[in-house]
mmCIF file of all heavy atoms in Angstrom:
data_model
loop_
_atom_site.group_PDB
_atom_site.id
_atom_site.type_symbol
_atom_site.label_atom_id
_atom_site.label_comp_id
_atom_site.label_asym_id
_atom_site.label_seq_id
_atom_site.Cartn_x
_atom_site.Cartn_y
_atom_site.Cartn_z
ATOM 1 N N GLU A 29 -30.474 -3.116 -7.279
ATOM 2 C CA GLU A 29 -31.374 -2.212 -6.573
ATOM 3 C C GLU A 29 -30.808 -0.799 -6.442
ATOM 4 O O GLU A 29 -31.449 0.072 -5.890
ATOM 5 C CB GLU A 29 -31.666 -2.761 -5.175
ATOM 6 C CG GLU A 29 -32.327 -4.112 -5.197
ATOM 7 C CD GLU A 29 -32.414 -4.735 -3.805
ATOM 8 O OE1 GLU A 29 -32.211 -4.008 -2.816
ATOM 9 O OE2 GLU A 29 -32.689 -5.935 -3.727
ATOM 10 N N THR A 30 -29.598 -0.574 -6.913
ATOM 11 C CA THR A 30 -28.967 0.730 -6.753
ATOM 12 C C THR A 30 -28.845 1.441 -8.097
ATOM 13 O O THR A 30 -28.928 0.829 -9.156
ATOM 14 C CB THR A 30 -27.546 0.586 -6.161
ATOM 15 O OG1 THR A 30 -26.715 -0.052 -7.122
ATOM 16 C CG2 THR A 30 -27.556 -0.201 -4.865
ATOM 17 N N ASP A 31 -28.656 2.735 -8.020
ATOM 18 C CA ASP A 31 -28.422 3.527 -9.222
ATOM 19 C C ASP A 31 -26.927 3.719 -9.463
ATOM 20 O O ASP A 31 -26.528 4.481 -10.323
ATOM 21 C CB ASP A 31 -29.092 4.895 -9.094
ATOM 22 C CG ASP A 31 -30.602 4.789 -9.118
ATOM 23 O OD1 ASP A 31 -31.115 3.832 -9.727
ATOM 24 O OD2 ASP A 31 -31.259 5.659 -8.527
ATOM 25 N N VAL A 32 -26.121 3.049 -8.666
ATOM 26 C CA VAL A 32 -24.679 3.220 -8.732
ATOM 27 C C VAL A 32 -24.121 2.440 -9.918
ATOM 28 O O VAL A 32 -24.459 1.282 -10.137
ATOM 29 C CB VAL A 32 -24.023 2.703 -7.426
ATOM 30 C CG1 VAL A 32 -22.515 2.804 -7.508
ATOM 31 C CG2 VAL A 32 -24.562 3.451 -6.231
ATOM 32 N N GLU A 33 -23.281 3.104 -10.676
ATOM 33 C CA GLU A 33 -22.570 2.424 -11.752
ATOM 34 C C GLU A 33 -21.112 2.330 -11.333
ATOM 35 O O GLU A 33 -20.487 3.334 -11.006
ATOM 36 C CB GLU A 33 -22.717 3.189 -13.062
ATOM 37 C CG GLU A 33 -24.122 3.105 -13.614
ATOM 38 C CD GLU A 33 -24.188 3.447 -15.084
ATOM 39 O OE1 GLU A 33 -23.151 3.359 -15.766
ATOM 40 O OE2 GLU A 33 -25.280 3.799 -15.528
ATOM 41 N N ILE A 34 -20.600 1.134 -11.346
ATOM 42 C CA ILE A 34 -19.239 0.893 -10.879
ATOM 43 C C ILE A 34 -18.421 0.320 -12.020
ATOM 44 O O ILE A 34 -18.853 -0.608 -12.699
ATOM 45 C CB ILE A 34 -19.252 -0.098 -9.694
ATOM 46 C CG1 ILE A 34 -20.016 0.523 -8.521
ATOM 47 C CG2 ILE A 34 -17.839 -0.469 -9.279
ATOM 48 C CD1 ILE A 34 -20.280 -0.431 -7.390
ATOM 49 N N ASP A 35 -17.233 0.871 -12.192
ATOM 50 C CA ASP A 35 -16.297 0.338 -13.176
ATOM 51 C C ASP A 35 -15.464 -0.734 -12.472
ATOM 52 O O ASP A 35 -14.417 -0.462 -11.903
ATOM 53 C CB ASP A 35 -15.402 1.454 -13.714
ATOM 54 C CG ASP A 35 -14.440 0.962 -14.780
ATOM 55 O OD1 ASP A 35 -14.443 -0.250 -15.091
ATOM 56 O OD2 ASP A 35 -13.679 1.784 -15.301
ATOM 57 N N PHE A 36 -15.994 -1.960 -12.461
ATOM 58 C CA PHE A 36 -15.321 -3.042 -11.751
ATOM 59 C C PHE A 36 -13.917 -3.268 -12.285
ATOM 60 O O PHE A 36 -12.988 -3.508 -11.518
ATOM 61 C CB PHE A 36 -16.149 -4.329 -11.837
ATOM 62 C CG PHE A 36 -17.413 -4.257 -11.052
ATOM 63 C CD1 PHE A 36 -18.627 -4.054 -11.697
ATOM 64 C CD2 PHE A 36 -17.415 -4.383 -9.680
ATOM 65 C CE1 PHE A 36 -19.808 -3.981 -10.977
ATOM 66 C CE2 PHE A 36 -18.584 -4.306 -8.950
ATOM 67 C CZ PHE A 36 -19.786 -4.106 -9.601
ATOM 68 N N ALA A 37 -13.743 -3.188 -13.598
ATOM 69 C CA ALA A 37 -12.436 -3.444 -14.204
ATOM 70 C C ALA A 37 -11.367 -2.509 -13.643
ATOM 71 O O ALA A 37 -10.204 -2.894 -13.512
ATOM 72 C CB ALA A 37 -12.521 -3.308 -15.713
ATOM 73 N N GLU A 38 -11.756 -1.301 -13.271
ATOM 74 C CA GLU A 38 -10.812 -0.342 -12.686
ATOM 75 C C GLU A 38 -10.223 -0.893 -11.381
ATOM 76 O O GLU A 38 -9.034 -0.739 -11.110
ATOM 77 C CB GLU A 38 -11.529 0.985 -12.420
ATOM 78 C CG GLU A 38 -10.704 1.993 -11.662
ATOM 79 C CD GLU A 38 -11.524 3.195 -11.245
ATOM 80 O OE1 GLU A 38 -12.416 3.616 -12.005
ATOM 81 O OE2 GLU A 38 -11.265 3.719 -10.151
ATOM 82 N N TYR A 39 -11.047 -1.536 -10.578
ATOM 83 C CA TYR A 39 -10.560 -2.086 -9.306
ATOM 84 C C TYR A 39 -9.604 -3.248 -9.518
ATOM 85 O O TYR A 39 -8.710 -3.473 -8.708
ATOM 86 C CB TYR A 39 -11.739 -2.534 -8.434
ATOM 87 C CG TYR A 39 -12.437 -1.374 -7.780
ATOM 88 C CD1 TYR A 39 -13.578 -0.819 -8.343
ATOM 89 C CD2 TYR A 39 -11.933 -0.817 -6.610
ATOM 90 C CE1 TYR A 39 -14.209 0.259 -7.750
ATOM 91 C CE2 TYR A 39 -12.557 0.260 -6.000
ATOM 92 C CZ TYR A 39 -13.692 0.784 -6.582
ATOM 93 O OH TYR A 39 -14.304 1.861 -5.983
ATOM 94 N N PHE A 40 -9.790 -3.987 -10.595
ATOM 95 C CA PHE A 40 -8.973 -5.171 -10.823
ATOM 96 C C PHE A 40 -7.533 -4.835 -11.189
ATOM 97 O O PHE A 40 -6.692 -5.735 -11.237
ATOM 98 C CB PHE A 40 -9.597 -6.052 -11.917
ATOM 99 C CG PHE A 40 -11.029 -6.467 -11.627
ATOM 100 C CD1 PHE A 40 -11.900 -6.701 -12.670
ATOM 101 C CD2 PHE A 40 -11.493 -6.609 -10.333
ATOM 102 C CE1 PHE A 40 -13.219 -7.092 -12.425
ATOM 103 C CE2 PHE A 40 -12.809 -6.986 -10.072
ATOM 104 C CZ PHE A 40 -13.664 -7.231 -11.128
ATOM 105 N N VAL A 41 -7.238 -3.568 -11.445
ATOM 106 C CA VAL A 41 -5.880 -3.161 -11.818
ATOM 107 C C VAL A 41 -5.342 -2.033 -10.931
ATOM 108 O O VAL A 41 -4.409 -1.335 -11.312
ATOM 109 C CB VAL A 41 -5.806 -2.743 -13.316
ATOM 110 C CG1 VAL A 41 -6.099 -3.927 -14.213
ATOM 111 C CG2 VAL A 41 -6.746 -1.592 -13.617
ATOM 112 N N LYS A 42 -5.897 -1.869 -9.735
ATOM 113 C CA LYS A 42 -5.509 -0.777 -8.832
ATOM 114 C C LYS A 42 -4.384 -1.155 -7.866
ATOM 115 O O LYS A 42 -4.203 -0.505 -6.853
ATOM 116 C CB LYS A 42 -6.724 -0.297 -8.026
ATOM 117 C CG LYS A 42 -7.657 0.584 -8.813
ATOM 118 C CD LYS A 42 -8.835 1.019 -7.969
ATOM 119 C CE LYS A 42 -8.538 2.276 -7.202
ATOM 120 N NZ LYS A 42 -9.752 2.873 -6.617
ATOM 121 N N LYS A 43 -3.644 -2.197 -8.168
ATOM 122 C CA LYS A 43 -2.522 -2.629 -7.338
ATOM 123 C C LYS A 43 -2.942 -2.945 -5.910
ATOM 124 O O LYS A 43 -2.310 -2.524 -4.947
ATOM 125 C CB LYS A 43 -1.390 -1.594 -7.355
ATOM 126 C CG LYS A 43 -0.818 -1.351 -8.728
ATOM 127 C CD LYS A 43 0.677 -1.381 -8.679
ATOM 128 C CE LYS A 43 1.285 -1.067 -10.001
ATOM 129 N NZ LYS A 43 1.275 -2.116 -10.948
ATOM 130 N N GLY A 44 -4.024 -3.699 -5.798
ATOM 131 C CA GLY A 44 -4.493 -4.171 -4.507
ATOM 132 C C GLY A 44 -5.085 -5.557 -4.676
ATOM 133 O O GLY A 44 -4.828 -6.239 -5.657
ATOM 134 N N VAL A 45 -5.887 -5.964 -3.689
ATOM 135 C CA VAL A 45 -6.620 -7.222 -3.748
ATOM 136 C C VAL A 45 -8.101 -6.882 -3.751
ATOM 137 O O VAL A 45 -8.557 -6.044 -2.966
ATOM 138 C CB VAL A 45 -6.293 -8.124 -2.539
ATOM 139 C CG1 VAL A 45 -7.187 -9.356 -2.526
ATOM 140 C CG2 VAL A 45 -4.825 -8.537 -2.542
ATOM 141 N N THR A 46 -8.856 -7.515 -4.627
ATOM 142 C CA THR A 46 -10.296 -7.322 -4.687
ATOM 143 C C THR A 46 -10.972 -8.611 -4.246
ATOM 144 O O THR A 46 -10.688 -9.681 -4.784
ATOM 145 C CB THR A 46 -10.755 -6.970 -6.115
ATOM 146 O OG1 THR A 46 -10.069 -5.787 -6.550
ATOM 147 C CG2 THR A 46 -12.254 -6.721 -6.163
ATOM 148 N N ILE A 47 -11.839 -8.488 -3.247
ATOM 149 C CA ILE A 47 -12.668 -9.612 -2.795
ATOM 150 C C ILE A 47 -14.104 -9.254 -3.132
ATOM 151 O O ILE A 47 -14.591 -8.192 -2.733
ATOM 152 C CB ILE A 47 -12.502 -9.871 -1.283
ATOM 153 C CG1 ILE A 47 -11.070 -10.332 -0.981
ATOM 154 C CG2 ILE A 47 -13.535 -10.898 -0.811
ATOM 155 C CD1 ILE A 47 -10.793 -10.578 0.499
ATOM 156 N N ILE A 48 -14.783 -10.124 -3.854
ATOM 157 C CA ILE A 48 -16.149 -9.856 -4.310
ATOM 158 C C ILE A 48 -17.096 -10.911 -3.752
ATOM 159 O O ILE A 48 -16.997 -12.091 -4.101
ATOM 160 C CB ILE A 48 -16.247 -9.875 -5.848
ATOM 161 C CG1 ILE A 48 -15.187 -8.984 -6.478
ATOM 162 C CG2 ILE A 48 -17.655 -9.472 -6.297
ATOM 163 C CD1 ILE A 48 -15.002 -9.210 -7.958
ATOM 164 N N GLU A 49 -17.998 -10.475 -2.879
ATOM 165 C CA GLU A 49 -19.037 -11.366 -2.390
ATOM 166 C C GLU A 49 -20.187 -11.380 -3.397
ATOM 167 O O GLU A 49 -20.532 -10.357 -3.954
ATOM 168 C CB GLU A 49 -19.538 -10.907 -1.019
ATOM 169 C CG GLU A 49 -18.469 -10.987 0.061
ATOM 170 C CD GLU A 49 -19.001 -10.723 1.447
ATOM 171 O OE1 GLU A 49 -20.131 -11.145 1.760
ATOM 172 O OE2 GLU A 49 -18.265 -10.101 2.242
ATOM 173 N N TRP A 50 -20.764 -12.554 -3.620
ATOM 174 C CA TRP A 50 -21.850 -12.761 -4.585
ATOM 175 C C TRP A 50 -21.371 -12.502 -6.020
ATOM 176 O O TRP A 50 -22.105 -11.987 -6.856
ATOM 177 C CB TRP A 50 -23.063 -11.883 -4.271
ATOM 178 C CG TRP A 50 -23.634 -12.097 -2.908
ATOM 179 C CD1 TRP A 50 -23.380 -11.330 -1.806
ATOM 180 C CD2 TRP A 50 -24.524 -13.123 -2.483
ATOM 181 N NE1 TRP A 50 -24.070 -11.826 -0.724
ATOM 182 C CE2 TRP A 50 -24.785 -12.927 -1.114
ATOM 183 C CE3 TRP A 50 -25.132 -14.197 -3.136
ATOM 184 C CZ2 TRP A 50 -25.621 -13.761 -0.386
ATOM 185 C CZ3 TRP A 50 -25.965 -15.024 -2.410
ATOM 186 C CH2 TRP A 50 -26.203 -14.805 -1.046
ATOM 187 N N SER A 51 -20.149 -12.862 -6.319
ATOM 188 C CA SER A 51 -19.542 -12.548 -7.623
ATOM 189 C C SER A 51 -20.285 -13.166 -8.802
ATOM 190 O O SER A 51 -20.180 -12.669 -9.922
ATOM 191 C CB SER A 51 -18.079 -12.967 -7.651
ATOM 192 O OG SER A 51 -17.964 -14.379 -7.597
ATOM 193 N N ASP A 52 -21.045 -14.235 -8.567
ATOM 194 C CA ASP A 52 -21.807 -14.839 -9.671
ATOM 195 C C ASP A 52 -22.762 -13.842 -10.316
ATOM 196 O O ASP A 52 -23.131 -13.994 -11.473
ATOM 197 C CB ASP A 52 -22.612 -16.056 -9.184
ATOM 198 C CG ASP A 52 -21.756 -17.304 -9.065
ATOM 199 O OD1 ASP A 52 -20.603 -17.288 -9.542
ATOM 200 O OD2 ASP A 52 -22.242 -18.296 -8.488
ATOM 201 N N MET A 53 -23.141 -12.813 -9.563
ATOM 202 C CA MET A 53 -24.098 -11.827 -10.076
ATOM 203 C C MET A 53 -23.471 -10.900 -11.118
ATOM 204 O O MET A 53 -24.187 -10.208 -11.834
ATOM 205 C CB MET A 53 -24.689 -11.030 -8.922
ATOM 206 C CG MET A 53 -25.447 -11.937 -7.943
ATOM 207 S SD MET A 53 -26.333 -11.031 -6.708
ATOM 208 C CE MET A 53 -27.791 -10.599 -7.640
ATOM 209 N N ILE A 54 -22.136 -10.875 -11.183
ATOM 210 C CA ILE A 54 -21.455 -10.030 -12.184
ATOM 211 C C ILE A 54 -20.467 -10.870 -12.998
ATOM 212 O O ILE A 54 -19.435 -10.373 -13.442
ATOM 213 C CB ILE A 54 -20.750 -8.817 -11.538
ATOM 214 C CG1 ILE A 54 -19.686 -9.258 -10.524
ATOM 215 C CG2 ILE A 54 -21.759 -7.867 -10.915
ATOM 216 C CD1 ILE A 54 -18.718 -8.165 -10.119
ATOM 217 N N LYS A 55 -20.792 -12.121 -13.187
ATOM 218 C CA LYS A 55 -19.876 -13.069 -13.843
ATOM 219 C C LYS A 55 -19.290 -12.533 -15.153
ATOM 220 O O LYS A 55 -18.112 -12.710 -15.428
ATOM 221 C CB LYS A 55 -20.597 -14.392 -14.089
ATOM 222 C CG LYS A 55 -19.647 -15.538 -14.278
ATOM 223 C CD LYS A 55 -20.373 -16.858 -14.117
ATOM 224 C CE LYS A 55 -19.442 -17.998 -13.899
ATOM 225 N NZ LYS A 55 -18.897 -18.192 -12.603
ATOM 226 N N ASP A 56 -20.094 -11.844 -15.942
ATOM 227 C CA ASP A 56 -19.621 -11.319 -17.228
ATOM 228 C C ASP A 56 -18.615 -10.180 -17.072
ATOM 229 O O ASP A 56 -17.938 -9.819 -18.040
ATOM 230 C CB ASP A 56 -20.793 -10.827 -18.079
ATOM 231 C CG ASP A 56 -21.711 -11.963 -18.511
ATOM 232 O OD1 ASP A 56 -21.283 -13.141 -18.452
ATOM 233 O OD2 ASP A 56 -22.846 -11.681 -18.906
ATOM 234 N N LEU A 57 -18.512 -9.597 -15.887
ATOM 235 C CA LEU A 57 -17.614 -8.469 -15.658
ATOM 236 C C LEU A 57 -16.318 -8.877 -14.961
ATOM 237 O O LEU A 57 -15.431 -8.043 -14.779
ATOM 238 C CB LEU A 57 -18.323 -7.402 -14.811
ATOM 239 C CG LEU A 57 -19.633 -6.858 -15.394
ATOM 240 C CD1 LEU A 57 -20.303 -5.922 -14.402
ATOM 241 C CD2 LEU A 57 -19.378 -6.153 -16.714
ATOM 242 N N LEU A 58 -16.219 -10.135 -14.573
ATOM 243 C CA LEU A 58 -15.045 -10.593 -13.829
ATOM 244 C C LEU A 58 -13.843 -10.739 -14.749
ATOM 245 O O LEU A 58 -13.990 -11.017 -15.945
ATOM 246 C CB LEU A 58 -15.349 -11.938 -13.164
ATOM 247 C CG LEU A 58 -16.441 -11.907 -12.094
ATOM 248 C CD1 LEU A 58 -16.749 -13.323 -11.628
ATOM 249 C CD2 LEU A 58 -16.055 -11.013 -10.936
ATOM 250 N N PRO A 59 -12.642 -10.578 -14.184
ATOM 251 C CA PRO A 59 -11.445 -10.772 -15.017
ATOM 252 C C PRO A 59 -11.314 -12.235 -15.419
ATOM 253 O O PRO A 59 -11.836 -13.139 -14.752
ATOM 254 C CB PRO A 59 -10.301 -10.339 -14.094
ATOM 255 C CG PRO A 59 -10.825 -10.513 -12.720
ATOM 256 C CD PRO A 59 -12.302 -10.251 -12.799
ATOM 257 N N GLU A 60 -10.606 -12.448 -16.488
ATOM 258 C CA GLU A 60 -10.433 -13.800 -17.011
ATOM 259 C C GLU A 60 -9.758 -14.703 -15.988
ATOM 260 O O GLU A 60 -10.125 -15.871 -15.839
ATOM 261 C CB GLU A 60 -9.588 -13.718 -18.285
ATOM 262 C CG GLU A 60 -9.715 -14.907 -19.173
ATOM 263 C CD GLU A 60 -9.054 -14.670 -20.511
ATOM 264 O OE1 GLU A 60 -9.548 -13.834 -21.287
ATOM 265 O OE2 GLU A 60 -8.031 -15.331 -20.760
ATOM 266 N N GLU A 61 -8.767 -14.177 -15.257
ATOM 267 C CA GLU A 61 -8.059 -14.953 -14.240
ATOM 268 C C GLU A 61 -8.517 -14.497 -12.863
ATOM 269 O O GLU A 61 -8.574 -13.290 -12.596
ATOM 270 C CB GLU A 61 -6.546 -14.799 -14.398
ATOM 271 C CG GLU A 61 -6.047 -15.375 -15.696
ATOM 272 C CD GLU A 61 -4.526 -15.455 -15.778
ATOM 273 O OE1 GLU A 61 -3.843 -15.053 -14.812
ATOM 274 O OE2 GLU A 61 -4.030 -15.928 -16.805
ATOM 275 N N ARG A 62 -8.815 -15.482 -11.985
ATOM 276 C CA ARG A 62 -9.327 -15.157 -10.652
ATOM 277 C C ARG A 62 -9.348 -16.423 -9.799
ATOM 278 O O ARG A 62 -9.171 -17.526 -10.311
ATOM 279 C CB ARG A 62 -10.723 -14.558 -10.747
ATOM 280 C CG ARG A 62 -11.725 -15.497 -11.408
ATOM 281 C CD ARG A 62 -13.012 -14.782 -11.757
ATOM 282 N NE ARG A 62 -13.987 -15.673 -12.353
ATOM 283 C CZ ARG A 62 -14.138 -15.894 -13.648
ATOM 284 N NH1 ARG A 62 -13.343 -15.299 -14.510
ATOM 285 N NH2 ARG A 62 -15.078 -16.710 -14.087
#
């Protein structure tokens, strides 16, 4: 519903922890290990 484009992969390597609610909606964008 948003016009926002997010580079999810960028967050996965930012030296932090990423918690994703409703992650099934972006299954193809998730890292291989999780």
